[in-house]
Amino acid sequence: MSNPERLRISGGAVYDPANGIDGVVRDVCIDGDRIVAELPRDAPRLDAAGMIVMPGGVDIHSHVAGPSVNQARRLLPEEHAVDPVPAPRLEDGTLARTGTGGTVPSTFATGYRYAGLGYTTAMEAAVAPLGARHAHAELDDTPILDAGFFVLLGNDDYLLRQIGAGETARARDYAAWLLGVTRAYAIKIVNPGGVSLWKSGGDTGRRNVTGLDDAVGSSGVTPRKILETLCAAANQLALPHPVHVHCNNLGQPGNYATTLETMKALGGQRAHFTHLQFHSYGGERGKPWQSAAREVIEYVNAHPETSVDVGQVMFGPATTVTADSPVEYLLATSAGGGRKWVNVDIELESGCGIVPYMYKERAAVAALQWAVGLELFLLSTDPWRVVLSTDHPNGGAFLSYPELIRLLMDRSYRDECRKRVNQKLLAGSALLDGLSREYTLGEIAIVTRAGPARLLGLRNKGHLGPGADADVTIYSSDGDRAKMFATPRYVFKAGTLVVAEGQLRRAPAGRRLAVRPEYDTAVTKDLRRFFDAHATVSFDNYGAEPVP
Amino acid sequence: MSETIALSLTQAPDHALVAECIAPDRFATLTAKEIASLGVFHGGRAARLGDFFKVTGERSSNVRLEGDLGRIQGIGTGMTGGDMLIDGSSGRDLGVAMAGGRIEVRGSTGDNVGGARPGAAKGMTGGEIVIRGSAGDDAGVRMRRGLLVILGDGGRGTGRAMIAGTIVLFGKTGPGAGRFLKRGTIVALEAMERPATYRYACTYRPPHVAVLLRYLRARSGVPVSDRHITGRYERYSGDLAELGKGEILQWAGE
Amino acid sequence: MTEHVTCLGCGCACDDIAVVVKRGRIAEASNACTLGAAWFGDGVVPAEIRVDGRAATLERAIGKAVELLTGAARPLVYIAGDVSCEVQREAVAIGDHLHAAVDTLAATAAGAVLAGQRRGRATATLGEIREHADLVVFWGVDPGERYPRFIARYATAPGDLGKTRTVVAVDVGASRGPKDAGLRVAIAPSDEVDAIGAMRATVAGRDASAARFASAVDLARRMMQARYTAIVADGESGPEAIDPDRAEALVALGQALNGPARCTLCTLRAGGNRSGADAVLTWQTGFPFAVDFAGGPPRYRPAGGGGSAEALLADHEIDAALVIGAPVTIPGPVGEALDRIPVAVIGPRASTSAVRPVVAIDTGVAGIHEGGTAFRMDDVPLPLRASLEGPRAALDVVRALRDKLVHGAR
């Protein structure tokens, strides 16, 4: 099918919540790579009568590119062997590429499959500064998606030193400098202080922090201080996306207390808390786990400055890949161990842990995690601040989003599934009280597009108003929402028709999303000294900028 | 539907032929035509099973393979049931990740029989493989359940990193056999080189070995001598570097 | 003078080299070790384009390469050394388009990578060894020989840690650790994997100590009491034959030691940006080497699977090959087999290649004449800097070839 410069998508039911449009039948006009208010009558038309029109999907948190993801790819040849991805036949002469899938697909397959789901923007959620150059190279090989990444801060020696010395202004300048030289989009904090402890060695006693006020190295440095410093920095730098926080104690029973404490510590300031599901457990070590979703989501509901993505667990194969390396050690050695396990300590900066994992319906903890995620969705009062993610590939692969959408939109289906899973730990889960809420198409459009775009500060994404990027996804209406969202009929990326009749037809390169905040360059003098004393990479070779 | 499906090699492959589609459970629902049209890789390139084999019979999970299959790899990959007789020798990767059913090989096999795909945590997870000749290297690697019988010699790394299951070795074996073994049993009727991380436990007449050998004699007509059935075995537990919950049972005479 | 130049002479990828050019030649590469100095040389490389040994235009050479590769029933694309990741990415794309087999220089450490695919691995970037390790164990390797600055840059602790650090040399037969190690443990090559097993049994609290493993077991106890142990082993093969189970045994030991203490296993890799080839092939196909596009999507048949360049060539499966990179870096068996089939070579000193290529297009050397990205042995990406004018850039030539192949196919 041809791809005219100007196109009127006519007759579809449009879901554009950012502009208050909820299923109204109206035209959407594309001129070049932008949405425009109107086009001449004689402009080419795409008849979308009876179809559903939404902005392209926006993934706020996904692991798709960079050193950790590639370590995971290298670890999973057996998954790739059974999920070959043939080269799609493209119309525009672009050299289509083959690849492999599984929970951690090759780069080209990642771009094709996201587009095949109607997603046109994704954020890689965790890149160590030392690996930034690698992450950009992979994103260059990830077609179609407009993409950026969050750079890891909060366990890095230089920052911890500044915090220890009370140099908050310098810490802010450092963060700004780092965002710029790594061409990153936002600040990611993973288990603040905990990874640093894990890396510094020693016996099992002091391998992680347990709460916000544990000392990290010098007494003046605590998770709380790290969070406060970076959160303030991000807001003072007026970054489009605030600090993106992976709290301490991920996956531990009783961790909801830490999660709430963290939210309160940053109370009143913009902050995003990621894969909340993994941080909303009650109970305590050695005792049965339980859901604490209600306690956590009620706080979120009441605090407009706070936003989250859910990190839903979906049953089936997953690969846990995170900078939270001490947690991966626990997972690798739990239940008798014997699992594949990768740990990479990243000098002066961060960590990386990887464990392939299977979420089984019959497993008590997996069933609890599944339920907790759904509770967070269903008890949320503001879809703009509680958006969809599976923390791909940690809670499940992004290919499972359509199934997740069905769980949110179809109560009877959800109840069927709930009856099938292990009930052991579900006591106290709101799911048992038969949460009757069913997400509307408008709400789905918020949690998969408009919401993430707004939280990321992407003004031209997640909506279909004049001036917006012409990223448009068109679905054939289908009562089976999983089927409908798994196979969009048409997908436009920046005005290019990438999917037609469900087939990938074009695979243009995506654009890079990055920030370059202002800062006092005096900090670079001090950084040079630090690099000369501690780094194994020259200061001038650091980061991801082209060198002369 | 017919008694058995016979695949006879009519066109010897010029290259390695990867034929993972050859599996009795898969054939059980297919006509001869459909079987012949199943995909294989010949020298890496896509081809059809029928380009190399004459298929007679249909819709049966009782399969017989005829001809020199030495260059044919991956036969029975992931098979879950049925019976397959290979009236000759097979190439590497026979019964990789096999989950059930039975394979008997009149001749010898290449490497990684009953083994695992590259990087896979588990090899064979069920079923039986009986090899009348010898096996190549890495027979039964990462085996999780099931039975692998080698009447001839095993190569290097036989039973490496077994998770459970049983291997019976009538002949000799190469170095590294039983290395990294977590659980499971290797029964060695001839003197076998053990990793040093196995510890002698005791010498006894294990009833389960007698039962197993009698079963092989009855079920597969394996020539088992009474001295092996009633004989004494030295039990070595290991691999102590892993769980140490596995064993090598070394025949020690009558 | 060009500063902060990254050297690809070995996997250390030292990026503190200052290159001085006088009269079109490299006069000095300061900070470079002997290996590095030899790698930079005077920077003078041939700039020939040859078809059947005779001078030709670039267009003709590329046309001939296209003819050779599209006419082949079973082409191989081999990524050799001294090219940037940007060039490697194009090389894999060409392999994908040609439905070729693709293998790379990274396969020289296949054993370590395959062990990692079976178990994962506990590792770290090299700076962690310097900053954190209080116990460094050189397992059958003295980095001084093939990785001359490794100890100075990555294993010499700053400040107090230096005073308390213990350096251990494990001598496996003739493969000996550093001479100045504070402690030596001798292991017979035939005992090596058993000894590692005995050490791991000790870590797991099981007694597997035959008398001959006593010193290895003592070392295991020392590792358990350390804060942070670094085990340094060579991923590349040496003169000594190595037990194929050694790599997995070391991976497992390194992982197990993270119970009682912390431990990283550092696998030494040689130069030429082979680690980059591993990374690029992995992100584009999901597999680190021995990839086959013949059936369309990439398939992986490493080790005995017969999918490596060495195995395919030995089986006479390949009827034409494209080598991208410096032919001088190609491992012996692969190089000898390539000499028997028609080959097109695009890379540094292609025209002087021992494989007697049908098409030879000389390019600059990545990191001397061309910029781009390369990976250190620990997968840390580094920028490359051009310090000297060279012949045509490898990236331009490879892109031109890819373009011709794609449009020729239309």
Side-chain angles (χ1 to χ4, degrees):
Chain A
M1 170 173 168
S2 71
N3 187 188
E5 182 70 11
R6 303 159 121 198
L7 183 71
R8 175 187 300 271
I9 300 165
S10 64
V14 176
Y15 291 85
D16 181 13
N19 294 302
I21 297 162
D22 187 23
V24 181
V25 172
R26 70 204 309 272
D27 294 357
V28 172
C29 297
I30 296 176
D31 189 343
D33 62 358
R34 300 265 164 209
I35 303 289
V36 294
E38 255 313 328
L39 283 175
R41 297 198 161 288
D42 61 357
R45 282 172 183 270
L46 173 64
D47 179 9
M51 301 184 198
I52 289 163
V53 181
M54 291 188 183
V58 178
D59 199 332
I60 197 173
H61 184 109
S62 179
H63 298 275
V64 290
S68 307
V69 171
N70 218 35
Q71 290 276 1
R73 281 193 197 99
R74 189 181 287 112
L75 187 65
L76 300 166
E78 70 279 24
E79 272 196 5
H80 298 140
V82 296
D83 189 8
V85 179
R89 268 189 216 83
L90 302 184
E91 283 180 357
D92 66 354
T94 319
L95 181 60
R97 298 294 303 274
T98 63
T100 53
T103 55
V104 190
S106 59
T107 51
F108 297 97
T110 297
Y112 300 156
R113 286 185 165 183
Y114 257 113
L117 283 184
Y119 272 72
T120 49
T121 304
M123 283 292 174
E124 157 59 47
V127 173
L130 199 60
R133 197 173 292 275
H134 176 174
H136 282 289
E138 282 195 29
L139 290 177
D140 289 343
D141 281 347
T142 307
I144 305 171
L145 292 176
D146 284 351
F149 65 74
F150 306 153
V151 68
L152 288 160
L153 279 149
N155 286 289
D156 38 338
D157 287 23
Y158 187 79
L159 181 82
L160 270 44
R161 284 163 195 253
Q162 303 317 312
I163 291 172
E167 296 274 3
T168 50
R170 187 186 276 165
R172 182 190 63 230
D173 290 333
Y174 160 68
W177 166 80
L178 193 68
L179 285 160
V181 294
T182 58
R183 293 157 55 206
Y185 189 79
I187 294 170
K188 173 75 174 298
I189 308 175
V190 171
N191 183 9
V195 180
S196 175
L197 278 187
W198 163 256
K199 285 165 59 188
S200 63
D203 61 20
T204 44
R206 289 285 293 147
R207 291 179 152 202
N208 201 347
V209 296
T210 57
L212 287 192
D213 299 308
D214 289 12
V216 180
S218 73
S219 59
V221 184
T222 63
R224 185 185 302 278
K225 281 262 182 58
I226 296 167
L227 287 158
E228 288 170 351
T229 306
L230 288 173
C231 183
N235 289 320
Q236 286 162 16
L237 294 170
L239 300 179
H241 186 55
V243 278
H244 195 95
V245 182
H246 157 149
C247 295
N248 303 106
N249 291 334
L250 176 143
Q252 305 304 313
N255 64 5
Y256 81 101
T258 307
T259 306
L260 286 174
E261 216 186 329
T262 308
M263 289 176 169
K264 287 171 189 155
L266 302 181
Q269 304 175 78
R270 283 175 70 225
H272 183 86
F273 298 87
T274 191
H275 40 66
L276 194 61
Q277 177 278 132
F278 287 110
H279 304 274
S280 303
Y281 309 138
E284 54 189 283
R285 257 187 192 288
K287 300 236 178 71
W289 300 25
Q290 64 200 51
S291 169
R294 191 183 291 275
E295 290 83 342
V296 176
I297 198 66
E298 277 172 359
Y299 178 95
V300 174
N301 288 340
H303 292 78
E305 73 279 11
T306 304
S307 66
V308 308
D309 61 272
V310 168
Q312 178 67 33
V313 154
M314 300 296 283
F315 296 115
T319 298
T320 65
V321 46
T322 172
D324 199 341
S325 34
V327 165
E328 292 288 14
Y329 171 77
L330 294 181
L331 185 60
T333 51
S334 66
R339 296 195 182 96
K340 289 189 190 184
W341 170 50
V342 169
N343 179 86
V344 187
D345 297 336
I346 301 166
E347 59 201 68
L348 305 176
E349 292 181 351
S350 183
C352 161
I354 302 165
V355 176
Y357 195 77
M358 175 71 76
Y359 294 100
K360 297 188 181 126
E361 282 185 342
R362 276 184 233 80
V365 170
L368 174 69
Q369 294 177 305
W370 177 82
V372 167
L374 291 176
E375 287 178 66
L376 293 171
F377 274 115
L378 298 170
L379 296 170
S380 142
T381 55
D382 184 356
W384 291 94
R385 293 187 293 114
V386 180
V387 301
L388 184 143
S389 75
T390 61
D391 186 15
H392 163 85
N394 283 278
F398 63 80
L399 285 179
S400 64
Y401 293 171
E403 169 71 9
L404 173 53
I405 289 170
R406 184 178 181 195
L407 287 167
L408 297 178
M409 293 189 74
D410 180 341
R411 180 195 174 177
S412 58
Y413 176 69
R414 184 169 68 229
D415 289 344
E416 275 170 45
C417 298
R418 200 254 304 152
K419 290 193 191 79
R420 272 209 311 275
V421 308
N422 185 311
Q423 305 290 312
K424 185 160 165 259
L425 301 177
L426 296 194
S429 158
L431 270 195
L432 293 187
D433 317 344
L435 286 171
S436 60
R437 177 175 180 186
E438 292 187 329
Y439 269 59
T440 64
L441 280 173
E443 287 173 320
I444 293 298
I446 295 171
V447 297
T448 58
R449 289 134 159 95
R454 183 175 290 180
L455 296 176
L456 287 166
L458 294 168
R459 290 199 178 71
N460 298 335
K461 303 232 173 255
H463 73 95
L464 297 174
D469 295 341
D471 303 345
V472 185
T473 303
I474 303 173
Y475 303 96
S476 307
S477 190
D478 190 316
D480 179 343
R481 299 307 192 183
K483 186 154 156 279
M484 170 176 144
F485 280 96
T487 53
R489 185 102 173 253
Y490 303 101
V491 179
F492 292 86
K493 164 62 179 36
T496 300
L497 181 63
V498 292
V499 173
E501 303 303 338
Q503 296 299 313
L504 193 77
R505 281 293 178 232
R506 294 175 182 80
R511 279 173 296 193
R512 197 61 38 82
L513 303 165
V515 297
R516 188 173 289 279
E518 299 287 312
Y519 63 94
D520 176 351
T521 55
V523 70
T524 55
K525 257 223 198 67
D526 189 54
L527 276 161
R528 224 174 239 290
R529 276 195 297 275
F530 177 78
F531 268 70
D532 291 344
H534 299 286
T536 65
V537 171
S538 305
F539 182 74
D540 302 76
N541 288 337
Y542 193 73
E545 304 199 85
V547 300
Chain B
M1 104 152 249
S2 41
E3 271 300 288
T4 62
I5 294 172
L7 269 60
S8 48
L9 190 69
T10 52
Q11 175 64 52
D14 304 326
H15 315 276
L17 182 71
V18 180
E20 298 184 348
C21 64
I22 301 178
D25 52 327
R26 194 172 293 116
F27 290 0
T29 61
L30 302 178
T31 65
K33 202 157 177 295
E34 288 165 330
I35 292 168
S37 66
L38 291 170
V40 296
F41 288 100
H42 183 225
R45 283 150 294 179
R48 304 264 160 239
L49 193 56
D51 302 343
F52 304 90
F53 286 92
K54 177 160 154 296
V55 183
T56 51
E58 61 173 22
R59 296 198 177 82
S60 169
S61 57
N62 204 322
V63 176
R64 179 188 174 93
L65 300 178
E66 295 154 352
D68 173 15
L69 311 184
R71 288 187 95 169
I72 305 190
Q73 310 180 350
I75 297 170
T77 297
M79 74 183 257
T80 58
D83 243 287
M84 183 153 59
L85 173 67
I86 298 177
D87 191 4
S89 292
S90 155
R92 60 172 292 121
D93 299 336
L94 174 70
V96 159
M98 172 182 186
R102 190 169 171 285
I103 300 174
E104 181 171 342
V105 186
R106 290 260 165 88
S108 299
T109 71
D111 298 346
N112 201 38
V113 55
R117 287 200 174 88
K122 294 176 198 160
M124 184 174 176
T125 60
E128 276 179 43
I129 301 176
V130 175
I131 303 160
R132 299 207 174 250
S134 296
D137 295 343
D138 299 335
V141 161
R142 299 189 119 63
M143 181 185 212
R144 175 73 180 75
R145 202 179 291 105
L147 174 63
L148 174 62
V149 181
I150 305 168
L151 275 65
D153 296 339
R156 110 172 315 278
T158 302
R160 178 153 44 72
M162 277 173 79
I163 306 161
T166 304
I167 294 177
V168 182
L169 257 169
F170 282 69
K172 293 185 279 309
T173 178
R179 173 94 57 203
F180 308 139
L181 179 147
K182 288 189 171 67
R183 284 184 226 79
T185 301
I186 298 176
V187 180
L189 301 186
E190 282 202 21
M192 152 178 175
E193 179 187 328
R194 285 180 309 280
T197 43
Y198 277 73
R199 190 195 295 123
Y200 173 78
C202 62
T203 303
Y204 71 132
R205 301 179 190 275
H208 61 292
V209 170
V211 172
L212 175 60
L213 293 177
R214 284 204 182 84
Y215 164 82
L216 287 175
R217 186 192 263 172
R219 173 76 170 80
S220 313
V222 173
V224 184
S225 60
D226 292 336
R227 66 183 206 285
H228 288 140
I229 295 176
T230 59
R232 290 173 298 110
Y233 288 79
E234 294 165 351
R235 183 179 190 278
Y236 297 87
S237 56
D239 180 339
L240 298 177
E242 303 283 341
L243 290 179
K245 291 182 178 171
E247 60 182 6
I248 291 174
L249 296 175
Q250 176 71 65
W251 184 72
E254 321 232 350
Chain C
M1 181 167 78
T2 312
E3 290 185 291
H4 319 297
V5 173
T6 303
C7 169
L8 299 182
C10 77
C12 289
C14 305
D15 73 335
D16 62 344
I17 313 297
V19 175
V20 179
V21 172
K22 290 194 182 122
R23 283 177 243 87
R25 291 167 179 270
I26 294 176
E28 190 194 351
S30 60
N31 292 338
C33 63
T34 50
L35 261 183
W39 183 78
F40 282 101
D42 64 2
V44 177
V45 293
E48 309 285 325
I49 301 176
R50 296 181 177 278
V51 172
D52 299 318
R54 285 184 296 281
T57 64
L58 182 61
E59 195 187 1
R60 168 131 197 287
I62 286 176
K64 182 73 179 177
V66 169
E67 191 185 309
L68 179 70
L69 295 166
T70 52
R74 189 78 164 105
L76 165 73
V77 173
Y78 187 84
I79 300 175
D82 296 345
V83 287
S84 67
C85 293
E86 288 75 6
V87 171
Q88 292 165 343
R89 284 157 61 189
E90 295 292 327
V92 179
I94 288 170
D96 193 348
H97 178 79
L98 287 172
H99 292 235
V102 177
D103 206 354
T104 85
L105 207 53
T108 54
V113 177
L114 291 167
Q117 290 183 319
R118 288 193 287 269
R119 295 203 184 235
R121 54 189 187 141
T123 185
T125 67
L126 300 178
E128 287 295 288
I129 300 175
R130 191 176 83 172
E131 294 285 303
H132 288 308
D134 57 343
L135 180 60
V136 182
V137 178
F138 290 97
W139 193 281
V141 63
D142 177 355
E145 291 159 18
R146 289 202 279 185
Y147 315 90
R149 295 181 71 201
F150 181 89
I151 289 179
R153 276 176 63 80
Y154 307 124
T156 303
D160 298 347
L161 184 54
K163 301 189 195 77
T164 57
R165 167 172 294 172
T166 308
V167 174
V168 180
V170 176
D171 303 324
V172 183
S175 305
R176 299 173 62 80
K179 290 163 197 60
D180 58 355
L183 186 75
R184 305 199 84 82
V185 175
I187 297 174
S190 58
D191 277 347
E192 185 178 17
V193 176
D194 279 336
I196 299 168
M199 293 172 74
R200 185 149 61 101
T202 305
V203 174
R206 300 190 196 92
D207 170 33
S209 49
R212 67 184 199 278
F213 302 132
S215 57
V217 166
D218 288 345
L219 175 57
R221 298 216 171 88
R222 193 180 272 269
M223 290 165 139
M224 293 165 72
Q225 282 145 20
R227 277 173 64 82
Y228 194 110
T229 298
I231 303 172
V232 180
D234 201 339
E236 309 293 340
S237 54
E240 309 279 307
I242 290 174
D243 187 312
D245 289 337
R246 181 183 93 154
E248 184 169 351
L250 284 174
V251 163
L253 176 63
Q255 289 175 317
L257 279 163
N258 283 280
R262 286 299 323 281
C263 181
T264 173
L265 173 64
C266 167
T267 306
L268 299 169
R269 303 293 321 270
N273 192 27
R274 67 190 66 204
S275 298
D278 175 326
V280 166
L281 201 54
T282 299
W283 84 56
Q284 290 203 355
T285 70
F287 307 118
F289 46 71
V291 167
D292 195 349
F293 289 105
R299 296 172 75 245
Y300 181 51
R301 303 186 69 75
S308 69
E310 190 173 343
L312 288 167
L313 288 162
D315 297 346
H316 306 286
E317 290 284 310
I318 303 300
D319 57 353
L322 170 66
V323 172
I324 292 175
V328 67
T329 62
I330 301 172
V334 175
E336 286 149 28
L338 285 173
D339 190 29
R340 293 191 288 269
I341 60 170
V343 180
V345 181
I346 299 171
R349 301 181 177 85
S351 61
T352 67
S353 167
V355 305
R356 293 178 294 164
V358 174
V359 177
I361 303 174
D362 289 327
T363 72
V365 179
I368 297 177
H369 314 96
E370 304 179 13
T373 305
F375 280 70
R376 204 164 70 182
M377 64 170 76
D378 56 353
D379 297 326
V380 169
L382 289 162
L384 300 171
R385 293 170 190 266
S387 52
L388 183 61
E389 270 300 307
R392 62 202 66 77
L395 189 57
D396 298 339
V397 178
V398 174
R399 280 195 173 140
L401 173 60
R402 175 181 174 183
D403 196 54
K404 190 76 182 266
L405 282 164
V406 175
H407 293 88
R410 278 220 199 124

